[in-house]
Amino acid sequence: MFDSATRTVVVVGAQWGDEGKGKLVDVLAERADLVVRYQGGANAGHTVDLGSSCFILQQIPSGILHPGVRCAIGNGVVLDPETLFTEIDRLVASGIDVEHRLAVSDRAHLVLPYHQLVDGESSASKAIGTTKRGIGPAYEDKIARRGVRVLDLRHPAALAELVERGVDHANALLVHFGSDKRATVEATLDALNAIAPRLLRLAQDVGLVVHRAIRDGAAVLLEGAQGSLLDVDHGTYPFVTSSNTTSGGAAVGAGIGPMAIDAVLGVVKAYTTRVGNGPLPTELTGAFGEKVRELGHEYGAVTGRPRRCGWFDAVVVRYAARVNGLSGLAVTKLDVLDTLDRVAICTGYEVDGVVHTEFPGDLEALARAVPRYEWYEGWQRSTGEVRRLAELPSEARRYLARIESLVEAPIRFVSLGTRRDQIIDVAHPQGAGELVGAA
């Protein structure tokens, strides 16, 4: 994706998350100078399989696995310090230099123990199906102007006042929930004072870091978490996360202007999954749904929760292409479909007798939506070792061509397994080939 005209690239999920963004960021980071995570929290789990070892990264950008690549956590992230340092220590124990290559925005808000307590006791969190890691309550405090930022650790007196406000609010909520659990100011401050020296060593003005890198011609990769249909504004509200997961959130969450972004790569699975509650129009139920889940090992990297699986939904991904301004697609896990005798693509929803080809924001309409499918012959051939588009079975290329046509965004990468090397770069001469047009 990087060339003389394309130096700043955003990677977003174009479904409901778990699309394989970590692998794509890892692959692209080999050509990057700086990788920045711009939103979300420790509820994200980006899995990178190096073959000899596998890493699940919850807050640190996936580029950390490439020596010499600088990484940063932007102001749009809500940071869980305990998880961050556990992650750093695990990487360091594996021989990866982290602390000399990682910057944390001093404007990033902290996920504190009372946020996790509230999340765990909230009936609303249970109804939505959150990870209960305190992400939502931390973003709520941020918007309500009672959040604690990394830079607040420099000022003990002001920090104590902020924590007191946060604890009072959290305890009022716990009383409202009927919980007998309570947070305390003393325990919260003790935890913050214990991590402050180490965290402040990492703290920088990340927006300035990114601005200078772009000004100097560096290749900058902006890494999102979750997926576009979980965006708090553009997703299936209220079954969404608490941040802007779409590409517009990249500029805000990294501290740069939107004109600094040159391209947006949308990552999609060759089918559809989501975790937790909320609409999934193409959901596969029963034994076949279980089969696809097992073929794709569809369990959450962070929580272990089983993912709901469905056929590829072109209505969803075309919508994601529009709201993100996608420059291209990366299709992952095509190999999961290798053994199926036929595969389907959803091209529209029938709601009360009317066919819709654009994604509706109305959950009541989605609840009544009946997917309209196009069916394609399966290829029933292993694709895991294919490295050129032209070497894919013609049925697989026909399937990809129809996705490209319906989504109205060109396919740039095709991933055929979990390992770093199991990928086709369509634009690269060694990975080139032609898709077979579909009727």
Side-chain angles (χ1 to χ4, degrees), residues 53-287:
S53 56
C54 184
F55 295 91
I56 297 174
L57 301 170
Q58 292 177 243
Q59 296 187 114
I60 299 174
S62 305
I64 201 69
L65 301 175
H66 289 277
V69 176
R70 293 179 296 150
C71 292
I73 296 173
N75 57 274
V77 172
V78 287
L79 189 72
D80 181 338
E82 183 177 347
T83 302
L84 174 68
F85 291 128
T86 298
E87 197 169 321
I88 288 174
D89 293 342
R90 188 180 299 124
L91 288 167
V92 171
S94 300
I96 296 169
D97 176 27
V98 177
E99 295 202 38
H100 296 97
R101 295 165 47 216
L102 177 67
V104 174
S105 173
D106 58 5
R107 291 173 169 82
H109 282 247
L110 298 178
V111 177
L112 299 174
Y114 54 78
H115 294 135
Q116 295 165 341
L117 196 57
V118 167
D119 209 2
E121 297 294 301
S122 167
S123 58
S125 295
K126 294 170 185 173
I128 293 170
T130 75
T131 60
K132 300 179 176 59
R133 291 176 175 266
I135 309 302
Y139 274 116
E140 287 180 34
D141 277 2
K142 175 179 178 176
I143 299 304
R145 303 176 187 84
R146 58 174 167 264
V148 176
R149 297 185 292 174
V150 173
L151 60 81
D152 293 319
L153 300 180
R154 297 173 180 147
H155 310 290
L159 176 65
E161 291 181 10
L162 285 170
V163 168
E164 185 172 358
R165 286 183 61 203
V167 166
D168 286 347
H169 179 73
N171 284 339
L173 289 174
L174 292 168
V175 170
H176 176 71
F177 298 154
S179 172
D180 58 0
K181 297 180 180 178
R182 298 291 181 271
T184 69
V185 173
E186 293 76 13
T188 306
L189 286 174
D190 286 346
L192 287 173
N193 289 330
I195 58 94
R198 189 178 184 188
L199 186 55
L200 287 173
R201 284 198 297 271
L202 301 174
Q204 294 187 43
D205 182 344
V206 164
L208 183 59
V209 170
V210 180
H211 168 76
R212 287 174 172 169
I214 293 171
R215 179 197 63 191
D216 295 342
V220 177
L221 195 57
L222 304 177
E223 175 183 9
Q226 288 91 33
S228 297
L229 275 293
L230 294 175
D231 186 284
V232 70
D233 286 302
H234 302 292
T236 48
Y237 188 91
F239 299 98
V240 293
T241 193
S242 301
S243 59
N244 288 115
T245 61
T246 43
S247 61
V252 175
I256 57 173
M259 295 300 289
I261 295 170
D262 298 316
V264 183
L265 179 70
V267 185
V268 296
K269 279 177 181 163
Y271 47 103
T272 309
T273 65
R274 81 172 293 170
V275 173
N277 300 327
L280 183 61
T282 65
E283 184 166 11
L284 298 167
T285 58

Side-chain angles (χ1 to χ4, degrees), residues 1-2 7 27-33 69 219 413 425 428:
M1 293 285 292
F2 292 111
R7 306 302 293 164
V27 168
L28 293 174
E30 187 175 12
R31 313 167 207 176
D33 300 300
V69 176
F413 298 91
D425 182 346
H428 193 282

Side-chain angles (χ1 to χ4, degrees), residues 8 35 51 111-112 125 127 129 177 234 260 276 282 286 321 355 372-373 386 395 410:
T8 304
V35 182
V111 177
L112 299 174
S125 295
F177 298 154
H234 302 292
T282 65
V355 176
R372 286 286 191 90
Y373 290 118
V386 173
E395 297 86 353

